[in-house]
């Protein structure tokens, strides 16, 4: 089977967050959606659903629930039950619901930075206290982002109740290994924390050596205190169809989560449900082709970054996001009061995400979920700024 990851689609044709924020001459590689057409199986499922022209309230059908059970078993050796699944209109809403369901006003919600920005606002948005622990950036001896367990222990207070955990990790692309998960689980148990494990990027593994292990698969002792969040939205590029799933094995925890959604969550998006079932039942060949394309894109980024003095980059083990440390570039050093994101926007006309929003100023996040021709055009623009010394 062949799939098309090269055709350029005009995304300005419809309102697109990614494509309408910046001027038309800017290449947008920021917010995490991809520029690829969704797989044919999803297009067909949506067309079939639209052919029945009634769009009243819907709910996740048994067939979808069973499809996700099968996906979980096949890909992650994790057996889940259909009734553990609480379908929700998004992962970020679920993070907020978890905070409201599991903590009291003023209690601590811990997150590990750098982190996908909404994590940093969940506590404040729900009247709780934000607590942060920083990761350890790559060094010459260890070119990998690492959890800093001392920092995690130091950030935890008696008021800490909930860990918002992101695995695989946005923005570093880390897929945490068994040892790291075990160490983390020890801390979680010792401090009696709830966990909301955002595993949205788990189907986007780039490094064959780093299979994703759901937190509760690797550490079943955490199952009764963990809400796992999955969705087809990143992998199959259907974020605008707002469908995600909270997998909650423990019945009491499930009831608590469900209660907190009442009156706040709309009923399930009927098109999102159709797309989700098509993705999990028929999207695998497309996903494999996507991963090959994304791996090629990482290789291209590595080729360019090798030419950019002062840029530190640990290739992601998962996701379509590249997290670049630009603090030591001439560009950043010459303009200490302006963020590298803003400098690249002005000087290269490439829009990236600003590391400051992830809790780490001086970094940028580049979304490489796009055609290689567009990625190359953006990297060439950045090359003219970051590699000003030596011509290509
Ligand atoms: C780790 C992570 N969680 C959640 C989201 C957003 O999920 P949703 O659109 O379902 O709220 C993103 C989007 O990029 C993400 O990277």
């Amino acid at each position: 089977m062949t799939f098309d990851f090269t055709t350029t689609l005009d995304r300005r044709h419809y309102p697109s967050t990614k494509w309408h924020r910046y001027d038309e001459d800017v290449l947008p590689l920021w917010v995490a959606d991809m520029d690829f057409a969704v797989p044919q199986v999803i297009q067909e499922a949506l067309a079939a659903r639209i052919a029945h022209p009634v769009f009243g309230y819907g709910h996740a059908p048994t067939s979808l629930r069973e499809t996700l059970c099968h996906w979980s078993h096949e890909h992650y050796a994790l057996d889940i039950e259909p009734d553990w699944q609480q379908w929700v209109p998004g992962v970020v809403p679920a993070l907020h619901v978890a905070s409201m369901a599991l903590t009291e006003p003023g209690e601590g919600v811990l997150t590990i930075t750098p982190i996908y920005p909404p994590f940093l606002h969940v506590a404040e948005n729900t009247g709780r206290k934000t607590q942060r622990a920083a990761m350890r950036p790559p060094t010459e001896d260890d070119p990998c982002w690492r959890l800093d367990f001392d920092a995690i222990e130091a950030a935890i207070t008696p008021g800490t109740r909930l860990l918002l955990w992101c695995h695989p990790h946005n923005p570093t692309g880390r897929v945490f290994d068994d040892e790291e998960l075990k160490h983390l689980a020890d801390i979680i148990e010792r401090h009696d924390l709830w966990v909301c494990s955002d595993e949205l990027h788990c189907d986007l593994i780039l490094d064959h050596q780093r299979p994703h292990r759901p937190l509760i698969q690797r550490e079943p002792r955490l199952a009764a205190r963990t809400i796992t969040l999955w969705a087809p939205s990143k992998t199959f590029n259907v974020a605008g169809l707002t469908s995600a799933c909270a997998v909650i094995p423990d019945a009491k925890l499930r009831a608590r989560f469900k209660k907190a959604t009442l009156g706040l969550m709309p009923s399930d998006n009927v098109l999102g449900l159709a797309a989700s079932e098509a993705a999990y039942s028929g999207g695998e060949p497309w996903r494999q082709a996507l991963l090959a394309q994304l791996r090629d894109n990482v290789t291209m980024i590595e080729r360019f970054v090798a030419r950019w003095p002062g840029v530190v980059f640990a290739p992601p083990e998962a996701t379509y996001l590249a997290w670049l440390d630009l603090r030591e570039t001439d560009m950043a050093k010459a303009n200490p009061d302006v963020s590298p994101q803003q400098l690249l926007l002005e000087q290269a006309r490439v829009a990236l995400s600003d590391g400051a929003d992830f809790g780490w100023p001086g970094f940028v996040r580049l979304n490489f979920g796009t055609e290689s021709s567009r990625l190359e055009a953006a990297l060439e623009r950045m090359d003219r700024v970051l590699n000003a010394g030596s011509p290509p």
Side-chain angles (χ1 to χ4, degrees):
M1 247 184 272
T2 56
F3 299 99
D4 180 7
F5 296 105
T6 53
T7 300
T8 298
L9 299 168
D10 175 10
R11 294 195 58 195
R12 289 187 198 270
H13 193 71
Y14 291 107
S16 155
T17 303
K18 185 178 186 180
W19 282 85
H20 284 107
R21 173 169 292 188
Y22 297 101
D23 295 339
E24 286 214 10
D25 67 316
V26 170
L27 287 175
L29 302 184
W30 64 289
V31 68
D33 71 27
M34 299 188 287
D35 294 319
F36 306 126
V38 303
Q40 189 73 23
V41 281
I42 295 184
Q43 295 180 41
E44 285 166 7
L46 290 172
R49 180 60 190 83
I50 286 168
H52 188 290
V54 181
F55 302 100
Y57 298 119
H59 63 270
T62 306
S63 53
L64 168 59
R65 293 167 186 273
E66 285 175 349
T67 303
L68 186 60
C69 294
H70 184 69
W71 182 272
S72 175
H73 176 83
E74 287 290 302
H75 290 87
Y76 305 117
L78 174 64
D79 288 316
I80 63 168
E81 300 288 334
D83 68 1
W84 293 1
Q85 301 171 29
Q86 171 84 38
W87 284 78
V88 288
V91 169
V92 170
L95 296 172
H96 286 77
V97 167
S99 175
M100 289 189 295
L102 303 175
T103 68
E104 296 296 327
E107 288 184 334
V109 176
L110 175 64
T111 192
I112 290 163
T113 73
I115 192 68
Y116 171 61
F119 276 58
L120 294 173
H121 304 292
V122 169
E124 196 190 328
N125 291 344
T126 54
R128 277 61 171 168
K129 194 170 150 212
T130 307
Q131 297 178 312
R132 305 173 180 205
M135 285 177 79
R136 216 178 289 140
T139 60
E140 273 182 21
D141 299 335
D142 181 4
C144 196
W145 282 84
R146 298 276 173 201
L147 292 175
D148 182 339
F149 293 107
D150 292 337
I152 294 173
E153 292 273 13
I156 294 174
T157 64
T160 309
R161 293 262 51 85
L162 170 66
L163 170 66
L164 298 181
W165 170 243
C166 184
H167 163 57
H169 186 247
N170 173 0
T172 66
R174 269 308 311 282
V175 180
F176 299 105
D177 62 32
D178 293 355
E179 208 176 304
E180 290 169 298
L181 295 182
K182 179 182 177 310
H183 199 149
L184 185 79
D186 290 344
I187 294 177
I188 289 165
E189 276 204 316
R190 188 158 5 97
H191 294 279
D192 195 18
L193 304 181
W194 297 107
V195 187
C196 198
S197 185
D198 177 340
E199 302 186 9
L200 180 54
H201 293 271
C202 64
D203 302 317
L204 288 166
I205 301 296
L206 304 177
D207 185 335
H208 297 286
Q209 312 301 320
R210 290 250 172 248
H212 174 72
R213 307 234 201 251
L215 184 62
I216 60 167
Q217 190 270 353
R218 199 52 229 152
E219 296 294 336
R221 59 184 159 147
L222 300 182
R225 56 172 81 237
T226 300
I227 296 169
T228 301
L229 302 175
W230 284 341
S233 53
K234 297 291 131 178
T235 312
F236 295 97
N237 209 25
V238 288
L241 294 177
T242 62
S243 257
C245 186
V247 178
I248 312 176
D250 185 76
K252 282 202 197 115
L253 180 54
R254 209 157 56 233
R256 226 165 137 169
F257 180 87
K258 170 126 186 120
K259 190 160 177 240
T261 66
L262 296 177
L264 293 177
M265 296 285 204
S267 74
D268 297 323
N269 178 331
V270 291
L271 296 182
L273 296 173
S276 299
E277 189 165 339
Y280 288 131
S281 59
E284 181 59 9
W286 183 91
R287 185 181 77 103
Q288 290 301 336
L290 168 74
L291 294 176
Q293 176 64 52
L294 295 177
R295 289 181 187 116
D296 286 351
N297 285 0
V298 174
T299 305
M300 187 193 297
I301 294 171
E302 285 182 286
R303 185 159 53 77
F304 274 89
V305 170
R307 299 157 38 83
W308 297 344
V311 176
V312 182
F313 170 54
E317 296 159 351
T319 78
Y320 46 79
L321 308 167
W323 180 241
L324 303 170
D325 181 354
L326 302 186
R327 291 173 298 180
E328 292 303 316
T329 57
D330 288 348
M331 175 192 79
K333 287 198 275 190
N335 302 278
D337 299 329
V338 187
S339 73
Q341 188 272 349
Q342 184 62 28
L343 292 167
L344 286 171
L345 180 61
E346 287 166 8
Q347 297 178 24
R349 306 304 282 160
V350 174
L352 307 176
S353 300
D354 190 341
D357 297 335
F358 296 71
W360 281 61
F363 288 70
V364 290
R365 193 193 70 176
L366 182 155
N367 169 356
F368 57 86
T370 194
E371 304 89 78
S372 33
S373 57
R374 183 178 283 130
L375 178 63
E376 187 163 31
L379 293 169
E380 276 168 0
R381 289 184 186 194
M382 291 169 66
D383 196 70
R384 290 196 277 277
V385 177
L386 294 170
N387 187 33
S390 53

